[in-house]
Amino acid sequence: MKKPSRRDFLKIMGASGAALMAGRVGAEASELHQVNNDTLGMLYDATKCVGCKACMSACKRVNSDYGSLAFEQAKFDSDGLWDAPQDLSGSTRTLIKLFKESDKQWSYVKYSCMHCQKPSCVSVCPVSAMTRDKVTGTVDYNKDTCIGCRYCQIACAFNIPKFQWDKAIPQIVKCDLCKNTNLAKKGITACAEVCPVGAIMFGKRKDLLEEANRRLRESPGKYINHIYGEKEVGGTNHLYLSAMQFNKLGLPVLAEAAPAEFSEKIQHTIYKGFIAPVALYGTLCFVALKNMKGHGKHQENENKEDSDHGA
Amino acid sequence: MGHDEYQKHDAKILTPSFIVLLTLTLIGFSLIAVRFIKGIGAVTNMSDGYPWGIWITYDVATGTAIACGGYAMAILIYIRNRMHYHPMIRSAILTSMFGYGLAGFSVMVDVGRPWNSYNFFIPSKWQANSAMFEVALCVMAYTTVLLLEFLPAVLTTLEKTEWKTLQLLLDKLYARMGMERPERIGERLDKVKEVAAWLKPRLDKVLIFIIVLGITLPTMHQSSLGSLLLIASTKLHPLWHTGFLPLLFLINCMFIGYSIAILESVISCYAFKRPFETKELSGMARIIPWLTVIWLSVVIGDLAWRGQLGAALSFDFYSRFFLLEFGLVAGGSLLLFSGRKRESIRWLFLSAALIVLGGALYRFNVYLIGFNPGKGWHYFPSLAELMITVGIVAFEILGYQVLVKILPVLPKLHTRQQLDEAAGQAVAEKA
Ligand code: SF4
Ligand code: SF4
Ligand code: SF4
C-alpha cells in the first residue's frame, strides 16, 4: 500500500480548505525511531521445540494466572487442573500451538508478546498504561492506570494484549518478559529457564540476532532463510526461526515500517505544538464576532428585503 | 438575539411513546447493571479479536456524528453568518447534548476499568501520540460546552418560574407529615431565581466564545475519531485504511450534521404537529451536496492513488459495503442538487435520510465491517449488547421529548413576524 507523504497530505488538506491547516508551520514528522539492539528479548527456534508446554505452565506459575477460561475447561476436569487454553487469553500469556500440514510438514510455535521496538500498543494507550522501558526495551503494562479501553488490542498487529472478558474487574494481560517476576529474581525469563531443549534463548537482541544468523548459516537447508521479527513492524525483540512459512504458523506477513510511525506522523502534523487548534479557535472567534456585530445592520437590511418581497 | 425566539411545546408529557421509550430505557439500564456485576463478556459478543463492538461503533463513533447537528448549525449561523437559522439552534444543541453526554456514558460502560479514568487529568500520564487521548479530552470538554450553551434555556425558565408544581408537591408532602411548610424554602427558591437572573446576562456576554469553542472542539475530535483507526494498518481493509481518515471523518460529520438537523426538524414538526420549516430546511439542504461532493472526491481520488479502485469494484464482501456506503451518500446528494426537490419536505426527508445512512455506514465500515483482526475471529453483537445501545438511544429521545415540553427549546412559531416587529421598534427608537 502506498502511503501518502506528509507533504501530499498537507496539500490536499489545504485544497479542501480544512482549517486544521494553520498547523503547517512548525509541524515536523515524529523523530524516526532507532532500533536498539542492546535491549532484551528472546529467540524461539521452532525446529527445536518439542511441544512439551513446560514454558506455558512456568509462565502461569510465576504470574499466578488462574486456569483457562470456563469454556476451555474439559467437562471431566471440575477442579480445573487440566489446563488447555486454545489461544492467548486473560489468563494465558504464552501458548504453544501445533500446525500440521501433513505427516512430514508440521511445526510448533510459541506465542507471546513480541516486545516491539516501536510498539503500537504504547503509541495508542491514552493514559500511558502501556510503556516501553528505554533501557531493557521491555513493553510492560500497568493495571493501576489502565482504563480498559482496549485500544491496545485494536492496535497490536500480533493480537497479543488480551482482556479479561469474564471478570467484573478486568485487566489487560500480556507477557512482560518476566520483568516483574522471574527476571527480577533469577535474571532469566521463566519460559526460557524451564525449556528442556533450549528452544527459547533469552538475551540481548544483538546476541540473539547473531545466534540466529549463525544457525541460518550453519544449517542452511533446515530453516526458512528469514529471522521473523528482525525487520517486521520496525523490529521486535522476540525473534523466530522456523522450518515452515511463518504465516502458516499464525505469524502475519508484515511490512517493515512500524504502523505507529505512520499514525503518529499524521497526528503530529495536525497537533504539533497545539498551534492549529488555537489558530482555528482564534480565526473562528474573529469571524463570529464580526458576524455578530454586523448582525444588527444585517437584520435591518434583511427585513427590508423581506418586506420588499412581501410588497 | 433575544431568548424569546423559543417556546415550550405545550403538551402532555405522559404519552404512549413516553411509556415505550421508558420501558426500553429501563431494560437497557438493567442490562448495564448486569455488565457491571458479571463483566463485559457476560452481556456482549466482543472478543480479543474484536475488542470494540457496537457500543464504540454506534454509540461513540456514529452517535457523536449524528449528534453533530449542533456543530453544523453553529457553523452555519455564526461562521457563515446565516443568523436567520438562529431559532433552530436550541433544539439542535439539545440533541447534541444528549448525543454526546450519552456517548460519554457509553464509554464508561464499555471500558473495563472506568475508575482509572482520572488519569486523563494527570499530566504525567498524558499521551499525546494517542488519538484516543485527544478524543477523550475533546469530548469531555465539548459536552461541558454543550451544557453551557444550553444553560440559557434553563436559566430563562428558572427566572420566570413560580415553582408551582414544586410548591404544590411540597405543600402536599408537609401536609402528609402533618407539619407547616417552613418559610425558608420559599426564600431559597427565590434565591435560585435571583441567581439565575444574575447569571443570565453575564453568560450571554461570553456565550459567543463558548459557542466558538463548540465549533473548534468537534473539528478536532471528529477528525481524531478517524485517526483512531490509522494504527490498524494490518487489520482495516485497504478500502478504508488511508492517511485521509481524519479528513474524511471531519467532512463526514459535517454532512451528517446538516442532514440530521433536517431530519430532526421534520420529525419533531411532524410529531409535535407544528408547521414544517421548509424554507430554512431547503436553504440548509443546499450546503450538503457541496460537502458530500468534496468527500466523495477525496474518497475516489485516494482510492485511485493507492491503486484500490479495482478492490472497490470487485463486488466481494468489502466492496459491496463500500459501494452501498458510497451509493447512499451519492444518491442522497444527487437528489439535493435539484432545486425543486429541495422545496419538498418529502424529498428533503428522503435525501437527508439516505445521506445519514450512508455516512453512518461509512463509520461502521471503518470501525467494524472493514476491520479484520485475522483468521478465526467473528463478531456480531449479542441481543443484550444491542438492547443496551437501544436503551441508551431510547433515553436520548425520551430526554428530548420531555425537555422540549418543560423548557423553551423549539423555535417560536411566527418568529419571523416578531423579529420584524422588534426590528421595526428598534428603528423607531433610534429615529
Ligand atoms: S507485540 Fe503487540 S503487545 Fe507486544 S509490544 Fe508489540 S504491539 Fe505491544
Ligand atoms: S486497555 Fe489499558 S493498556 Fe490498553 S490502551 Fe486502553 S488504557 Fe492502555
Ligand atoms: S517471558 Fe515470562 S511472562 Fe513472557 S511468556 Fe515467558 S514466562 Fe511468560
Side-chain angles (χ1 to χ4, degrees), chain A residues 227-280:
Chain A
I227 306 171
Y228 189 87
E230 183 181 7
K231 298 269 169 62
E232 277 81 3
V233 292
T236 66
N237 280 14
H238 194 322
L239 304 165
Y240 286 84
L241 283 179
S242 156
M244 241 167 104
Q245 290 292 345
F246 291 99
N247 60 339
K248 288 187 185 161
L249 299 182
L251 296 167
V253 180
L254 295 170
E256 293 187 4
E261 277 195 341
F262 173 64
S263 61
E264 285 180 13
K265 195 161 71 186
I266 295 178
Q267 188 76 354
H268 290 181
T269 307
I270 304 177
Y271 285 106
K272 185 76 176 191
F274 223 64
I275 298 171
V278 172
L280 176 64

Side-chain angles (χ1 to χ4, degrees), chain B residues 29-348:
Chain B
F29 281 73
S30 19
L31 286 166
I32 291 177
V34 177
R35 169 254 172 272
F36 276 106
I37 296 164
K38 292 195 163 170
I40 300 177
V43 286
T44 75
N45 279 348
M46 283 189 258
S47 61
D48 288 321
Y50 284 95
W52 288 351
I54 187 92
W55 294 345
I56 294 292
T57 309
Y58 179 75
D59 298 10
V60 181
T62 313
T64 55
I66 290 180
C68 270
Y71 168 57
M73 293 295 286
I75 296 185
L76 183 64
I77 296 168
Y78 296 99
I79 304 305
R80 304 204 57 230
N81 202 12
R82 302 285 190 278
M83 291 294 170
H84 51 284
Y85 288 103
H86 198 262
M88 291 173 73
I89 198 163
R90 213 174 250 180
S91 66
I93 285 188
L94 180 62
T95 42
S96 297
M97 196 174 82
F98 272 104
Y100 269 91
L102 287 169
F105 175 74
S106 302
V107 170
M108 286 300 129
V109 175
D110 180 85
V111 299
R113 306 175 66 83
W115 54 88
N116 274 342
S117 304
Y118 68 89
N119 283 304
F120 278 116
F121 303 107
I122 296 182
S124 67
K125 299 289 176 197
W126 285 357
Q127 227 284 75
N129 288 335
S130 168
M132 179 170 294
F133 169 72
E134 204 272 320
V135 171
L137 284 195
C138 272
V139 168
M140 285 189 256
Y142 185 50
T143 312
T144 319
V145 164
L146 283 170
L147 283 171
L148 288 176
E149 283 184 82
F150 191 68
L151 204 54
V154 182
L155 290 180
T156 322
T157 312
L158 280 183
E159 208 183 9
K160 297 214 186 97
T161 184
E162 299 293 331
W163 306 103
K164 274 198 196 110
T165 333
L166 190 68
Q167 306 264 25
L168 269 176
L169 199 79
L170 283 175
D171 280 343
K172 259 194 211 154
L173 215 70
Y174 280 104
R176 170 96 31 108
M177 293 194 299
M179 284 193 287
E180 280 283 296
R181 186 157 76 97
E183 276 297 296
R184 267 180 303 141
I185 294 192
E187 281 167 26
R188 290 230 183 111
L189 292 181
D190 283 342
K191 190 93 198 168
V192 173
K193 273 168 85 167
E194 269 168 41
V195 171
W198 177 84
L199 195 60
K200 220 186 71 181
R202 284 168 179 76
L203 184 64
D204 276 350
K205 252 186 218 144
V206 290
L207 200 58
I208 186 68
F209 295 99
I210 298 176
I211 288 170
V212 176
L213 203 56
I215 297 176
T216 315
L217 290 170
T219 310
M220 290 161 73
H221 67 244
Q222 282 297 333
S223 59
S224 289
L225 277 174
S227 309
L228 276 183
L229 268 289
L230 284 174
I231 189 84
S233 51
T234 60
K235 299 181 182 176
L236 182 56
H237 193 279
L239 280 178
W240 293 285
H241 187 269
T242 154
F244 291 105
L245 271 169
L247 181 64
L248 289 174
F249 264 66
L250 180 61
I251 307 176
N252 174 284
C253 91
M254 290 183 186
F255 65 70
I256 292 187
Y258 287 117
S259 307
I260 208 79
I262 293 180
L263 291 186
E264 270 164 17
S265 156
V266 173
I267 294 173
S268 73
C269 286
Y270 179 79
F272 298 144
K273 301 196 178 57
R274 297 160 58 95
F276 292 111
E277 296 154 312
T278 317
K279 193 165 152 241
E280 283 80 7
L281 297 189
S282 70
M284 201 149 59
R286 206 177 320 169
I287 313 166
I288 299 175
W290 299 111
L291 289 166
T292 50
V293 162
I294 298 175
W295 189 78
L296 294 169
S297 328
V298 176
V299 168
I300 298 184
D302 169 60
L303 283 178
W305 182 25
R306 291 186 294 119
Q308 294 292 340
L309 278 180
L313 296 171
S314 69
F315 286 98
D316 65 353
F317 175 77
Y318 295 107
S319 143
R320 279 190 213 146
F321 274 100
F322 170 77
L323 291 174
L324 185 60
E325 149 210 322
F326 196 88
L328 283 169
V329 175
S333 320
L334 269 183
L335 293 179
L336 288 183
F337 269 119
S338 140
R340 201 172 44 81
K341 296 210 166 103
R342 279 204 307 267
E343 302 288 317
S344 139
I345 284 292
R346 242 168 241 270
W347 284 109
L348 274 177

Side-chain angles (χ1 to χ4, degrees), chain A residues 112-116 119-122 130 139 155-158 160-161 174:
Chain A
S112 56
C113 176
M114 302 293 286
H115 295 282
C116 307
S120 301
C121 57
V122 173
M130 286 281 182
V139 177
C156 175
F158 305 96
I160 293 299
K174 76 167 205 59

Side-chain angles (χ1 to χ4, degrees), chain A:
Chain A
M1 195 177 76
K2 221 175 94 192
K3 283 162 187 165
S5 75
R6 185 171 63 92
R7 189 170 296 270
D8 289 336
F9 178 63
L10 285 172
K11 229 189 263 164
I12 298 187
M13 292 277 278
S16 64
L20 298 171
M21 271 310 300
R24 168 156 42 183
V25 201
E28 284 301 323
S30 64
E31 327 137 18
L32 283 179
H33 95 95
Q34 234 126 42
V35 175
N36 178 352
N37 281 330
D38 282 318
T39 47
L40 298 174
M42 293 191 285
L43 168 65
Y44 170 79
D45 189 331
T47 65
K48 291 186 183 223
C49 177
V50 292
C52 70
K53 302 189 178 182
C55 50
M56 282 174 62
S57 66
C59 179
K60 289 211 171 187
R61 175 168 46 77
V62 298
N63 286 302
S64 347
D65 276 332
Y66 55 108
S68 50
L69 299 172
F71 60 87
E72 289 167 338
Q73 270 158 11
K75 285 216 177 62
F76 55 80
D77 178 39
S78 51
D79 40 2
L81 290 172
W82 189 74
D83 181 37
Q86 314 204 328
D87 202 344
L88 295 182
S89 71
S91 62
T92 308
R93 286 160 216 250
T94 186
L95 181 79
I96 297 291
K97 268 198 182 182
L98 169 66
F99 282 89
K100 198 170 177 183
E101 230 176 27
S102 66
D103 283 346
K104 296 228 175 68
Q105 281 279 324
W106 54 265
S107 174
Y108 290 109
V109 64
K110 176 181 185 288
Y111 294 144
S112 56
C113 176
M114 302 293 286
H115 295 282
C116 307
Q117 290 273 338
K118 178 74 189 158
S120 301
C121 57
V122 173
S123 166
V124 301
C125 179
V127 289
S128 314
M130 286 281 182
T131 47
R132 179 174 182 272
D133 190 305
K134 279 227 171 60
V135 180
T136 64
T138 304
V139 177
D140 195 9
Y141 162 81
N142 180 358
K143 72 170 194 300
D144 295 329
T145 38
C146 169
I147 59 165
C149 67
R150 309 186 291 279
Y151 195 8
C152 49
Q153 296 192 288
I154 294 275
C156 175
F158 305 96
N159 286 327
I160 293 299
K162 298 291 163 179
F163 185 73
Q164 294 174 328
W165 299 98
D166 51 335
K167 290 197 163 181
I169 299 187
Q171 67 169 79
I172 292 285
V173 166
K174 76 167 205 59
C175 156
D176 62 352
L177 210 75
C178 283
K179 180 180 178 189
N180 308 304
T181 54
N182 222 56
L183 186 60
K185 275 190 223 125
K186 302 189 185 165
I188 186 170
T189 58
C191 50
E193 183 191 10
V194 297
C195 180
V197 290
I200 309 170
M201 181 181 163
F202 171 79
K204 287 198 171 156
R205 191 171 194 264
K206 60 174 180 215
D207 302 330
L208 300 175
L209 279 173
E210 201 183 301
E211 172 65 18
N213 277 316
R214 194 182 59 78
R215 286 184 204 172
L216 286 180
R217 237 182 3 256
E218 286 176 4
S219 1
K222 192 173 165 191
Y223 297 101
I224 302 267
N225 191 19
H226 179 72
I227 306 171
Y228 189 87
E230 183 181 7
K231 298 269 169 62
E232 277 81 3
V233 292
T236 66
N237 280 14
H238 194 322
L239 304 165
Y240 286 84
L241 283 179
S242 156
M244 241 167 104
Q245 290 292 345
F246 291 99
N247 60 339
K248 288 187 185 161
L249 299 182
L251 296 167
V253 180
L254 295 170
E256 293 187 4
E261 277 195 341
F262 173 64
S263 61
E264 285 180 13
K265 195 161 71 186
I266 295 178
Q267 188 76 354
H268 290 181
T269 307
I270 304 177
Y271 285 106
K272 185 76 176 191
F274 223 64
I275 298 171
V278 172
L280 176 64
Y281 182 68
T283 320
L284 292 180
C285 271
F286 177 73
V287 177
L289 280 176
K290 211 177 105 216
N291 287 342
M292 291 288 275
K293 250 194 215 129
H295 180 59
K297 277 184 227 144
H298 186 79
Q299 201 178 43
E300 278 165 39
N301 292 340
E302 213 177 59
N303 288 331
K304 226 181 263 155
E305 266 171 43
D306 276 3
S307 49
D308 286 351
H309 284 302

